[in-house]
Amino acid sequence: MQGTAYAILIIISISHFLNDMIQSVVPSIYPMIKEDFSLSFAQIGLITFVFQLASSILQPFTGLYADRHPRPYALSLGMCFTLAGLLLLAFAGNFWMIILAVSVIGFGSTVFHPEASRVAQMASGGKKSLAQSIFQVGGNGGSAVGPLLAAVIVLPFGQWAISWFAIAAIFASLIMLKVGRWYKALIAYREDHSIAAPAPNTSISERSKHMALIILVVLVFSKYFYTACITNYFTFFLIDKFHVSVQTSQLCLFAFLAAFAIGTVAGGIFGDRFGRKYVIWFSILGAAPFALVLPFVDSLWLTVVMAFMSGLVIASAFSSIVVYATDLMPDKLGLIAGIFFGLMFGLGGLGAAFFGWLADKTSVDYIFRVSAFLPLLGIVAGLLPDTRKK
């Protein structure tokens, strides 16, 4: 039980892929439900608010509960909530049923992410950043594929076709039973062999820990506000500036998303080898040159290259941020994972709303010029204490 459990990590990653694929279907169907139910933009905003609230705010609390009361089969149960929410959404007949459905789907994500991240670290065999990256890249892939599947499955056939995604939720719930059995056996093994739970990190003062956590929150803010601008408005930016087709702009966006997936895995490998602090520092600050140049190049292919490089570099940060934070507080894996996954969802939603508001007030080109300065906040990573054992 000491080595890296790659089979468990792959199952966790596949489940993360399926979970985030389902999650990304919700905003993809907004145009359809807006027309079908004659919703206002304010009502669409309320749906997003409830969905993000259920997906983010509660995650630290479920993570804290998992730390105190490990539940090996909670991951499978979380996917059952997602399944129930999907079926509610597929057959919702009014606005309030839609609100209930997205809140149940969001709660499924709240149960899934902290516990899954905790299991990934337990299965890491010491390769914590790599394990977190394997887990995280599944989510990145699911977020990219979900809108495509919604366009192919849901939009042509209507709201009821959302129920087809229940197959993914059932499959994820079933394969997570294997993880539950492994998790239960690991707990029993540790109890039988009197292996103590992870102890608090005493090599760094409490004051330094709290300051480090504040710095990590600033870094997560800079990363996810910037990526929210790219993922939500890059297609509009390309269409407006280069007059490309919608299909071409989507292909260019997928170049960024592909780079994001590659960077996530690379960040895990380098984090274990060179230290989490330095990967975080390089990842966010290193994306700044590409982000700053992107709005000003006059060539489509150079713009895509700048987006690809910024995505490749900045994506490597999140896994290292989560693992670095758990190195600060190894006895609170679930709580830390819940906080940072909650921040990821919450700040991503706030960033999309903020830049949408700013684009209405100014222009799409302007928000790319403004957001380009966000990676410069990566300089504060230099203030993080080194958590590596001497």
Side-chain angles (χ1 to χ4, degrees):
M1 296 207 177
Q2 302 300 316
T4 305
Y6 286 104
I8 297 299
L9 292 175
I10 290 170
I11 292 173
I12 288 284
S13 183
I14 292 171
S15 299
H16 198 189
F17 174 92
L18 296 171
N19 181 83
D20 284 24
M21 178 188 74
I22 293 168
Q23 297 276 315
S24 65
V25 167
V26 174
S28 302
I29 62 170
Y30 282 171
M32 182 185 71
I33 61 174
K34 184 179 186 299
E35 181 179 347
D36 291 349
F37 293 94
S38 301
L39 302 180
S40 65
F41 281 111
Q43 287 174 309
I44 292 293
L46 183 58
I47 293 171
T48 302
F49 174 76
V50 171
F51 183 48
Q52 294 286 0
L53 189 71
S55 299
S56 59
I57 298 298
L58 296 176
Q59 287 204 33
F61 301 102
T62 58
L64 181 61
Y65 181 83
D67 286 332
R68 295 176 177 176
H69 310 283
R71 293 290 184 266
Y73 296 102
L75 291 170
S76 187
L77 179 63
M79 294 307 301
C80 291
F81 278 105
T82 301
L83 171 62
L86 271 175
L87 295 176
L88 279 172
L89 185 60
F91 300 103
N94 56 60
F95 170 71
W96 294 109
M97 283 295 290
I98 293 172
I99 289 289
L100 176 62
V102 299
S103 64
V104 175
I105 294 173
F107 184 71
S109 183
T110 287
V111 174
F112 175 81
H113 281 99
E115 191 69 275
S117 180
R118 174 187 171 88
V119 170
Q121 291 215 27
M122 293 172 70
S124 68
K127 299 177 181 178
K128 293 182 180 181
S129 290
L130 176 61
Q132 189 67 40
S133 293
I134 292 172
F135 168 64
Q136 190 62 29
V137 77
N140 293 343
S143 296
V145 169
L148 288 179
L149 292 180
V152 173
I153 297 172
V154 180
L155 299 183
F157 298 103
Q159 183 184 345
W160 69 270
I162 296 171
S163 60
W164 282 102
F165 286 91
I167 297 172
I170 293 171
F171 177 68
S173 183
L174 291 175
I175 63 174
M176 291 306 289
L177 291 175
K178 178 176 176 61
V179 176
R181 288 192 293 270
W182 176 86
Y183 192 0
K184 185 177 181 179
L186 182 62
I187 293 172
Y189 177 86
R190 290 183 170 182
E191 290 176 350
D192 291 343
H193 292 77
S194 300
I195 299 176
N201 186 330
T202 57
S203 63
I204 299 174
S205 70
E206 289 298 312
R207 179 185 176 87
S208 296
K209 288 180 185 179
H210 294 153
M211 183 58 65
L213 289 174
I214 292 171
I215 292 171
L216 292 177
V217 169
V218 171
L219 295 172
V220 171
F221 161 78
S222 69
K223 172 181 167 61
Y224 280 99
F225 255 60
Y226 177 70
T227 54
C229 183
I230 297 284
T231 54
N232 288 280
Y233 303 107
F234 191 48
T235 54
F236 296 102
F237 174 79
L238 295 177
I239 292 169
D240 183 63
K241 185 171 184 177
F242 298 107
H243 310 291
V244 298
S245 67
V246 173
Q247 290 82 358
T248 300
S249 69
Q250 288 173 334
L251 287 173
C252 295
L253 175 59
F254 276 106
F256 172 81
L257 295 174
F260 212 81
I262 296 168
T264 298
V265 176
I269 296 171
F270 292 134
D272 286 327
R273 183 168 183 178
F274 300 109
R276 261 72 86 171
K277 171 183 174 178
Y278 301 105
V279 169
I280 295 169
W281 198 356
F282 167 78
S283 173
I284 297 180
L285 187 60
F290 305 108
L292 289 166
V293 169
L294 188 152
F296 299 100
V297 295
D298 293 325
S299 164
L300 174 62
W301 75 269
L302 271 178
T303 301
V304 175
V305 168
M306 292 299 106
F308 182 92
M309 292 303 300
S310 65
L312 184 70
V313 176
I314 205 168
S316 59
F318 187 70
S319 297
S320 291
I321 286 173
V322 173
V323 175
Y324 179 93
T326 57
D327 284 344
L328 291 175
M329 299 181 176
D331 55 324
K332 297 176 181 175
L333 296 181
L335 174 63
I336 292 297
I339 289 172
F340 283 96
F341 275 99
L343 281 171
M344 179 183 74
F345 281 104
L347 290 174
L350 285 174
F354 170 76
F355 284 118
W357 169 82
L358 188 60
D360 283 338
K361 297 290 184 182
T362 55
S363 67
V364 174
D365 182 71
Y366 182 79
I367 65 172
F368 273 77
R369 293 171 186 244
V370 170
S371 66
F373 290 94
L374 286 169
L376 290 174
L377 288 172
I379 196 169
V380 301
L383 301 175
L384 291 170
D386 196 340
T387 59
R388 290 183 298 178
K389 293 180 179 180
K390 305 299 181 184

